[in-house]
Amino acid sequence: MEKLSDIGTIKQILSKYGFSFSKALGQNFLINPSVCPRMAEMGGAREGVGVIEVGPGIGVLTYELAKRADKVIAIELDKRLLPVLDETLAEFDNVKVVNDDVLKIDLKKLIEEEFDGLDVVVCANLPYYITSPVIMKLLEEKLPIQSITVMVQKEAADRLCAPLGTRQTGAVTAAVNYYANAEMLFKVSSGSFMPPPKVDSAVIRLDIHNEPTVETDSEEMLFKVIKAAFAQRRKTLLNTLSNSMPYEKAQIAEALSASGVPSTARAEQLKLEDFASIANEQNFLQLNEIDIEKY
Ligand code: SAM
């Protein structure tokens, strides 16, 4: 549908279908016509590319993706939007809307079945109540995707894109850094949405590494150390690790000393290599094998 991002058209469609926004599903729809074309371009939607979109809403971003990419699969949980999308995307034969929960769907299978021979990217204005779980699912499942371009709350964008070793980081920053390079693309004010959310937003892109940037003996242990280290971010590593992991303080002190990371350091001062050195410590790994059920 032409002029889909025009506020008048959007209001007309919503009223035609008697649509009411669901707060629980994070429904803030884009009404700023300049945002979706930029997102689609910077997200890599072009010839030879298949795009996975999470939460198409009434299809404003889907429209721009479908114009540029070979194929778009849009995963939408809210059944009420299916007839709307049928109408707004009627002119495209390269779009498929899948009515499912992004957190439950088998994305590996979907990619195999739908994107044969295409490079695959993710591009979405995410429902904010599941920002981190969606991003972590896309990364942890090691899908054959090249990048993830997503609109998230500005605060989440700042955290995800902050360089490790600085105060804005969190466990999710370190985890994302293991898989990808995160870049802030542009900010979007809350007035660009209907209804306007309480906070501003930003579009970020995660370019997935072909190989992880640090070597680890056990990814599971690396992520346990990262989560435990950030559990009480203002405390020293010695204290927060011994409070959050099932080991004696002396064992933690020994592992930290062997890894060369000062036990007085705080999680927000560490680089990914530091987390990996701690996780790779022989003592930790042996204990991990014995005590794994207790964690
Ligand atoms: N892409 C549209 C736009 O930019 O105007 C809508 C974005 S809105 C922030 C988030 C969308 O995600 C909504 O359409 C909502 O129904 C959908 N959604 C919420 N939870 C979902 C889930 N678990 N799986 C798939 N879609 C979901």
Side-chain angles (χ1 to χ4, degrees):
M1 179 183 284
E2 252 196 279
K3 295 207 184 133
L4 180 56
S5 54
D6 179 273
I7 174 79
T9 314
I10 295 174
K11 280 187 172 161
Q12 216 178 336
I13 292 168
L14 295 175
S15 116
K16 176 174 169 189
Y17 287 89
F19 185 82
S20 54
F21 294 97
S22 158
K23 232 183 185 175
L25 289 181
Q27 289 178 340
N28 302 95
F29 293 174
L30 270 165
I31 52 166
N32 177 340
S34 71
V35 174
C36 294
R38 264 180 105 187
M39 263 185 94
E41 289 286 332
M42 296 175 101
R46 58 177 162 265
E47 227 182 288
V49 170
V51 185
I52 299 176
E53 185 190 4
V54 178
I58 65 163
V60 278
L61 176 60
T62 328
Y63 188 93
E64 298 300 330
L65 296 170
K67 270 199 326 201
R68 294 168 173 80
D70 279 15
K71 189 164 184 184
V72 181
I73 303 292
I75 305 163
E76 175 57 62
L77 182 59
D78 189 346
K79 270 196 174 60
R80 298 174 305 155
L81 289 165
L82 304 184
V84 183
L85 288 163
D86 273 347
E87 178 175 344
T88 57
L89 302 172
E91 71 198 76
F92 297 105
D93 58 9
N94 61 341
V95 180
K96 184 162 159 187
V97 177
V98 178
N99 181 215
D100 210 330
D101 182 338
V102 65
L103 293 178
K104 296 193 181 141
I105 195 169
D106 183 343
L107 288 171
K108 213 164 229 164
K109 191 164 153 233
L110 181 140
I111 292 172
E112 268 169 30
E113 288 174 358
E114 302 287 352
F115 292 124
D116 189 29
L118 297 178
D119 289 339
V120 182
V121 300
V122 174
C123 190
N125 173 11
L126 286 183
Y128 294 165
Y129 74 104
I130 44 171
T131 298
S132 294
V134 174
I135 291 178
M136 289 317 296
K137 172 178 165 129
L138 293 167
L139 294 171
E140 281 172 353
E141 291 187 356
K142 302 203 166 114
L143 304 168
I145 54 177
Q146 297 188 332
S147 63
I148 301 170
T149 303
V150 279
M151 175 101 67
V152 297
Q153 285 187 351
K154 168 75 172 45
E155 199 183 72
D158 286 338
R159 179 156 319 119
L160 287 163
C161 298
L164 283 176
T166 63
R167 294 196 79 170
Q168 277 176 312
T169 54
V172 72
T173 324
V176 163
N177 262 262
Y178 179 70
Y179 296 108
N181 181 45
E183 189 188 349
M184 178 78 80
L185 296 182
F186 58 95
K187 301 188 179 116
V188 181
S189 70
S190 67
S192 297
F193 299 87
M194 185 164 72
K198 287 203 176 70
V199 289
D200 287 338
S201 298
V203 177
I204 62 169
R205 188 177 60 227
L206 309 178
D207 289 307
I208 317 272
H209 304 309
N210 293 331
E211 297 289 331
T213 43
V214 293
E215 275 187 33
T216 172
D217 301 334
S218 155
E219 281 184 6
E220 191 187 355
M221 193 57 173
L222 173 64
F223 291 117
K224 279 181 181 176
V225 168
I226 289 172
K227 280 186 197 156
F230 278 101
Q232 294 165 298
R233 48 184 304 134
R234 304 274 169 249
K235 295 204 167 171
T236 64
L237 278 181
L238 180 59
N239 284 330
T240 184
L241 292 182
S242 45
N243 287 343
S244 339
M245 299 187 93
Y247 309 131
E248 298 301 323
K249 209 165 185 170
Q251 293 169 317
I252 305 265
E254 204 180 308
L256 285 172
S257 151
S259 70
V261 179
S263 59
T264 51
R266 287 167 175 76
E268 60 197 26
Q269 297 169 315
L270 302 196
K271 303 278 189 203
L272 202 53
E273 296 74 16
D274 300 322
F275 291 112
S277 317
I278 300 170
N280 286 349
E281 258 326 301
Q282 204 61 20
N283 290 340
F284 260 43
L285 290 176
Q286 281 166 5
L287 282 166
N288 185 36
E289 280 159 26
I290 300 161
D291 286 342
I292 189 99
E293 296 307 330
K294 280 200 227 158
Y295 183 72

